[in-house]
Amino acid sequence: MMPLHVEIALLSDRGGRNYNEDACGHWQSERQLCCVLADGAGGHGGGDVASKLVVQGVVSHFARQPSQNGAALGELLRSTNQQLRAEREPGTEREDMHSTAVSLVLDLASGQVHWAHVGDSRLYWFRAARLLQRTQDHSLVQTLVDAGLLDEAQMNSHPKRSELRSAMGLPDEDLEVSCGDGMQAAQPGDVFLLCTDGLWEYLDAEVLERSLAAAPSQQAWLDTLAAEVRRRTAHKNSHDNFTALTVWVGAA
């Protein structure tokens, strides 16, 4: 297989909130790309501290010891969770900070892909502008969908869509981490999207596919997604931060 080349674009918007609790970043060597995105919670500034700690923790751990599969990346998230909990300070804004996390690793030589996540920030994998795979949220509404009690199309508007089963900051024994390895290698033309719930809540898979197919560039695609979120939240006084990181794959 020919080596892969990647292009990365970022979008982060505080939406209708006073400050942005989302964070994202990436690390790349000649062989591997690691991307991570986090959505913090905790109030009074604790959320933005938590999300930054998660991104910095995952990137620094990975740079020291790159993961080779989803299970190893999941353990890296658990190590980062211990680091986040160690940074808590009773009586301050850091007392009860939590964060979601989603991380993607792409081997640029083999095309192998693996990922891990906690919470409801998502990874989408597109091929030929059609959704190939996405992560499943650790949330109440995802549990209802899995049990056949709720249709997936109803997830975005459910009143309890923000209730999480798992988040970074929980004790190790309560932390639910999901990880995966791609059933096939990434190919030139594939697109990955990591995003927070502030984005996917307003944009279903059909909107993502249609806008991706029409986009002349990755930044144009993100601009379109941002404009659509703003349009759909124009009636709200306060809507969530929204953040996206996209990776477009080509041949080196």
Side-chain angles (χ1 to χ4, degrees):
M1 176 176 173
M2 289 183 61
L4 299 175
H5 168 74
V6 292
E7 294 185 3
I8 299 167
L10 307 173
L11 158 71
S12 192
D13 192 297
R14 64 185 177 91
R17 303 289 170 83
N18 292 328
Y19 50 88
N20 194 342
E21 294 188 309
D22 295 347
C24 61
H26 59 92
W27 178 91
Q28 186 174 346
S29 66
E30 189 173 319
R31 175 73 186 242
Q32 287 180 305
L33 169 70
C34 174
C35 299
V36 59
L37 178 144
D39 179 356
H44 307 296
D48 63 322
V49 173
S51 62
K52 289 181 176 67
L53 286 171
V54 167
V55 170
Q56 292 166 1
V58 172
V59 167
S60 61
H61 277 112
F62 187 88
R64 290 195 303 269
Q65 187 173 357
S67 59
Q68 302 301 318
N69 52 49
L73 187 58
E75 287 305 309
L76 191 155
L77 287 187
R78 289 189 175 276
S79 297
T80 303
N81 185 62
Q82 294 171 0
Q83 184 180 342
L84 175 63
R85 287 179 58 80
E87 293 290 334
R88 283 180 160 178
E89 297 178 17
T92 74
E93 72 275 2
R94 298 187 179 202
E95 182 173 21
D96 192 36
M97 58 183 180
H98 292 81
S99 180
T100 67
V102 58
S103 184
L104 162 73
V105 174
L106 172 61
D107 188 307
L108 303 176
S110 69
Q112 293 302 309
V113 179
H114 62 271
W115 58 86
H117 81 283
V118 177
D120 63 356
S121 289
R122 292 181 177 179
L123 166 67
Y124 292 81
W125 182 356
F126 299 91
R127 175 163 294 164
R130 299 301 300 271
L131 182 60
L132 189 66
Q133 197 164 355
R134 82 156 171 87
T135 52
Q136 301 297 302
D137 308 330
H138 301 131
S139 66
L140 171 64
V141 291
Q142 185 67 62
T143 301
L144 295 175
V145 170
D146 295 343
L149 302 174
L150 190 71
D151 189 274
E152 187 156 340
Q154 299 172 294
M155 290 181 69
N156 295 22
S157 58
H158 195 279
K160 295 189 176 182
R161 60 188 174 277
S162 297
E163 290 193 17
L164 299 181
R165 295 197 318 263
S166 183
M168 303 285 280
L170 289 175
D172 290 348
E173 61 270 22
D174 297 328
L175 184 69
E176 183 178 355
V177 179
S178 295
C179 48
D181 299 276
M183 299 293 291
Q184 51 194 295
Q187 300 176 4
D190 284 3
V191 172
F192 296 93
L193 174 69
L194 286 71
C195 65
T196 60
D197 65 328
L199 187 123
W200 65 252
E201 180 180 338
Y202 301 101
L203 308 176
D204 59 22
E206 183 181 347
V207 171
L208 294 174
E209 289 176 339
R210 186 172 66 248
S211 57
L212 176 58
S217 69
Q218 58 187 160
Q219 194 58 58
W221 185 41
L222 291 185
D223 290 346
T224 297
L225 298 184
E228 188 65 14
V229 171
R230 293 186 189 107
R231 185 183 72 81
R232 297 185 183 206
T233 58
H235 64 289
K236 293 192 172 187
N237 292 327
S238 175
H239 61 92
D240 201 2
N241 318 138
F242 56 96
T243 297
L245 183 157
T246 184
V247 179
W248 286 31
V249 181

